Amino acid sequence: MRSSTGKLFRDSGRAVGGALIFSLPMLMTMEMWWLGFYAEPVRLAVLMALSFPLLIGLSHRIGFRHSPSWPDIILDAVFALGIGVITSATVLILFRAISFDMAATEIAGTIALQTIPAGIGALLARSQFVAASNEPDQQREDSYGSELFLMGVGALFLGFNIAPTEEPMLISYRMTQWYAIALVLLSLAVMHGFVFALGFQGGTELSPQTPWWSALIRFTLPGYVIAAGVSLFVLWIFGRTDDLTFGQAVMAMIVLAFPSSVGAAAARLIL
């Protein structure tokens, strides 16, 4: 009993630490507070509806217990989501970003937006902190679908951090089509080099027999498509695509896809 209680407190502490590490930049971003005030309930509902399956998938990959049981996996996801809600609400109250004299919809919207990165951080805490402990870490063989899923998580996390700010939209307004093409090529080069060519620990190294274009087609190009799709989704959630023409929306997506693609590549190294 004492051992179970100690493990619960330890996992909770790790989860809170991970939630703070991964969500604190957004918890201290004024644009995120404002977005919580006027975000459309339908878009928030869509975000939350898609986020919980994402947490379940992430729990299956790096849950607190590495259990093959789906009830345990779902419980870990609920636990991480709860930690995200509690951590976000506590910090926002201390920062006076929310107060009890605000409308309930404004409080709920502000906390909901912050809960996503906090929940992801709570689950990532296991993979980040277990290496510093004496606990054995069970490595799993990742399927191709799992690799692409992790890319999506990394793209969502980094894109979610940057999309609320005004700078991506300002950059997209100042760019021409040639600059956009150059940025796409740079994004692809960074993704491919970061994951495959640089040989960082955890990356997928190419064997001498594997042509460079094979990894480009199997991982880099699909990863960029995922990053671009996630970027467009996040821009829509935050209302950044409203009143934009098709060309302007594509330009904004390309700009945000640059950091999102870096997040997609980095996710495969740290998870």
Side-chain angles (χ1 to χ4, degrees):
M1 179 67 179
R2 181 178 300 178
S3 176
S4 299
T5 302
K7 186 178 186 303
L8 176 62
F9 278 112
R10 184 180 61 221
D11 287 344
S12 300
R14 285 177 177 171
V16 171
L20 285 174
I21 290 173
F22 283 87
S23 68
L24 201 54
M26 298 186 70
L27 288 168
M28 301 183 71
T29 300
M30 188 177 297
E31 288 90 344
M32 283 296 291
W33 306 343
W34 294 340
L35 285 169
F37 298 155
Y38 61 77
E40 295 182 9
V42 173
R43 301 192 189 195
L44 287 177
V46 171
L47 178 64
M48 296 302 294
L50 294 178
S51 297
F52 188 63
L54 180 144
L55 289 177
I56 292 176
L58 196 58
S59 174
H60 177 64
R61 173 59 174 75
I62 53 169
F64 293 101
R65 286 168 288 191
H66 268 324
S67 171
S69 169
W70 279 106
D72 288 344
I73 291 170
I74 295 174
L75 186 61
D76 275 355
V78 172
F79 177 76
L81 191 65
I83 290 293
V85 170
I86 295 172
T87 302
S88 300
T90 301
V91 174
L92 289 171
I93 290 173
L94 292 177
F95 287 165
R96 300 198 66 183
I98 58 174
S99 57
F100 295 106
D101 59 350
M102 293 168 52
T105 54
E106 294 178 347
I107 296 175
T110 305
I111 294 176
L113 285 177
Q114 302 285 359
T115 297
I116 307 308
I120 293 175
L123 278 174
L124 293 182
R126 190 207 180 272
S127 65
Q128 293 299 304
F129 295 160
V130 73
S133 69
N134 294 324
E135 297 179 21
D137 189 20
Q138 301 174 1
Q139 297 296 326
R140 289 181 175 176
E141 292 295 328
D142 290 330
S143 65
Y144 181 67
S146 177
E147 298 254 3
L148 296 182
F149 170 76
L150 293 181
M151 284 186 172
V153 173
L156 176 64
F157 172 73
L158 203 52
F160 208 86
N161 272 268
I162 298 174
T165 63
E166 296 293 336
E167 286 77 9
M169 301 306 300
L170 176 61
I171 294 171
S172 68
Y173 293 147
R174 299 173 64 181
M175 291 183 65
T176 65
Q177 293 180 350
W178 290 110
Y179 277 91
I181 293 173
L183 186 58
V184 171
L185 294 176
L186 177 61
S187 300
L188 291 171
V190 169
M191 281 193 72
H192 194 71
F194 193 73
V195 177
F196 299 102
L198 299 183
F200 289 157
Q201 182 179 3
T204 301
E205 297 183 3
L206 298 176
S207 66
Q209 294 78 25
T210 305
W212 65 270
W213 51 263
S214 175
L216 179 70
I217 293 174
R218 292 186 63 237
F219 291 105
T220 305
L221 289 179
Y224 182 78
V225 172
I226 291 172
V230 168
S231 299
L232 185 61
F233 171 73
V234 172
L235 288 170
W236 175 77
I237 287 292
F238 291 146
R240 297 299 192 184
T241 58
D242 296 353
D243 302 322
L244 294 182
T245 66
F246 177 78
Q248 290 172 333
V250 170
M251 196 71 74
M253 178 190 69
I254 290 174
V255 171
L256 187 60
F258 178 56
S260 296
S261 62
V262 174
R268 299 186 62 252
L269 301 179
I270 64 177
L271 299 181

